Amino acid sequence: MMLLLRRFEEKAGQLYGMQKIRGFCHLYIGQEAVAAGMMTAIRPDDNLITAYRDHGLAIAKGMTSNECMAELYGKATGCTKGKGGSMHFFSKEKRFFGGHGIVGGQIGLGAGIAFADQYNGNDRATICMFGDGAARQGLLHETFNMAVLWQLPVVFICENNYYAMGTSVGRTAKQTDIYPLADAYGMPGDSVDGMSCEEVHNAIDRAVRRAREGGGPTFLEIKTYRYRGHSMSDPAKYRTKEEVEEYKEKDPINQVLKVITENNYATQEQIEQINEKVRMEVEECVRFAEESPWPDDSELYKDIYADTDYPYITD
């Protein structure tokens, strides 16, 4: 999974440079262990909502590379019919409730999704993700308060990649650890090594179990690192090359590959087969996107209102 996410994002970055992909584009390269560790800890019917760095999480949640790449292209076969682009992936079937362009806007929505499940009496858990920059939004505090008060089955996850849109955590707050924010609300909180998919799995597994058993919300600060800039337009001059290389030495994919080879979990031939399978899937999704049609002009006024006969749609 991590290899697929990495290769998909590398290809997206390349295609953006070729102007095949337009608009905003935030790559997940370096953060793959978060997605991989999470998906082995939750059920397919659990909910996931996140911010605009959403490609990797969407694919990990079960959305196809084809529909995701087509969405980046703005094609009709994309996961939101080519209308959402990079920041607004969505799948009702996979219970992936989107990337969101408003910083922190999804935090309240995540609690709302969890409230719906609690109200309906099922045992789904909701994973609500945001970045370190969004942790400074007032909505977080309002949501934390209500989530604890109502003991909602939600796991709040801050993917702390240290630089938000380009400003380090240390320049935005005196307290550089974010997980203690949970203490003010009597919510369990913890810090997790986001470069280790095993550590991510264990932490989320504990939190999800608590949510299902009626124990209420948990706040996890998963410390990870993006190798690229905030978006494709960001040259990332606010950090040193030495720092980036230091984190690449802890690369999650290389760590897992080392464990696999040292323990003979797979032969070199099997590893090559995985590499080839991923390469072919990425090639296929690009071909699919290239050959897919553009949305028809009539789509402009669709999917805006719940009532299709709403009288002011075209007025």
Side-chain angles (χ1 to χ4, degrees):
M1 179 188 288
M2 288 195 292
L3 192 64
L4 173 60
L5 305 190
R6 176 71 57 87
R7 298 293 178 256
F8 181 93
E9 293 289 65
E10 288 172 344
K11 179 58 71 173
Q14 179 186 355
L15 293 166
Y16 193 93
M18 297 167 62
Q19 296 191 328
K20 296 283 188 179
I21 297 170
R22 306 293 184 93
F24 293 100
C25 186
H26 305 82
L27 302 181
Y28 204 63
I29 296 172
Q31 300 184 206
E32 297 88 355
V34 182
M38 181 192 312
M39 295 309 156
T40 54
I42 66 175
R43 298 190 320 223
D45 68 324
D46 285 332
N47 311 302
L48 175 59
I49 187 168
T50 188
Y52 38 74
R53 199 179 306 280
D54 58 355
H55 314 161
L57 292 165
I59 294 172
K61 193 65 171 71
M63 293 170 64
T64 67
S65 301
N66 282 7
E67 64 182 325
C68 291
M69 186 60 78
E71 189 59 40
L72 290 178
Y73 268 65
K75 295 298 185 73
T77 53
C79 57
T80 55
K81 304 180 184 179
K83 303 177 184 182
S86 169
M87 297 197 292
H88 301 105
F89 283 14
F90 183 90
S91 174
K92 179 181 177 181
E93 295 73 23
K94 299 299 180 182
R95 305 198 69 80
F96 183 83
F97 294 99
H100 291 265
I102 302 299
V103 175
Q106 74 280 9
I107 299 174
L109 297 174
I113 293 168
F115 176 81
D117 283 327
Q118 184 188 69
Y119 183 85
N120 289 321
N122 61 56
D123 70 340
R124 284 197 194 106
T126 294
I127 306 293
C128 178
M129 306 183 74
F130 49 91
D132 47 290
R136 311 306 178 192
Q137 293 282 38
L139 180 61
L140 177 140
H141 298 278
E142 298 176 42
T143 303
F144 276 17
N145 185 55
M146 299 307 292
V148 172
L149 186 65
W150 292 339
Q151 290 291 278
L152 298 182
V154 57
V155 181
F156 296 107
I157 293 178
C158 175
E159 286 185 288
N160 182 2
N161 57 31
Y162 298 103
Y163 287 100
M165 288 183 67
T167 305
S168 68
V169 174
R171 291 183 62 199
T172 59
K174 184 70 173 177
Q175 168 62 273
T176 55
D177 284 329
I178 298 173
Y179 73 93
L181 287 174
D183 294 345
Y185 302 95
M187 185 193 307
D190 204 358
S191 178
V192 184
D193 179 6
M195 305 304 275
S196 166
C197 52
E198 293 90 350
E199 291 296 320
V200 172
H201 169 93
N202 291 335
I204 294 178
D205 181 62
R206 289 192 298 270
V208 167
R209 287 174 187 270
R210 180 183 297 119
R212 294 198 208 286
E213 294 167 2
T218 302
F219 178 37
L220 300 176
E221 177 189 0
I222 301 183
K223 294 185 176 181
T224 181
Y225 200 81
R226 54 175 168 79
Y227 297 163
R228 302 289 185 92
H230 168 69
S231 68
M232 288 299 295
S233 59
D234 173 19
K237 293 181 178 179
Y238 41 80
R239 57 187 183 180
T240 65
K241 292 181 179 179
E242 290 77 17
E243 180 183 293
V244 177
E245 291 305 315
E246 181 183 337
Y247 274 94
K248 285 185 177 181
E249 290 178 8
K250 298 184 283 188
D251 186 273
I253 295 176
N254 291 341
Q255 285 195 59
V256 169
L257 194 58
K258 183 180 179 182
V259 172
I260 290 172
T261 52
E262 287 182 352
N263 292 276
N264 296 316
Y265 291 152
T267 64
Q268 190 59 41
E269 183 181 357
Q270 289 172 318
I271 292 170
E272 288 303 321
Q273 288 173 351
I274 293 171
N275 282 321
E276 180 62 15
K277 179 184 177 183
V278 167
R279 185 189 67 80
M280 291 179 66
E281 180 171 340
V282 173
E283 279 191 5
E284 166 58 24
C285 76
V286 174
R287 184 199 63 77
F288 178 80
E290 289 276 359
E291 296 178 359
S292 291
W294 296 104
D296 187 78
D297 289 350
S298 64
E299 287 290 323
L300 187 64
Y301 296 106
K302 295 179 182 177
D303 306 312
I304 299 172
Y305 297 96
D307 297 326
T308 55
D309 60 347
Y310 190 69
Y312 305 108
I313 290 178
T314 57
D315 289 359

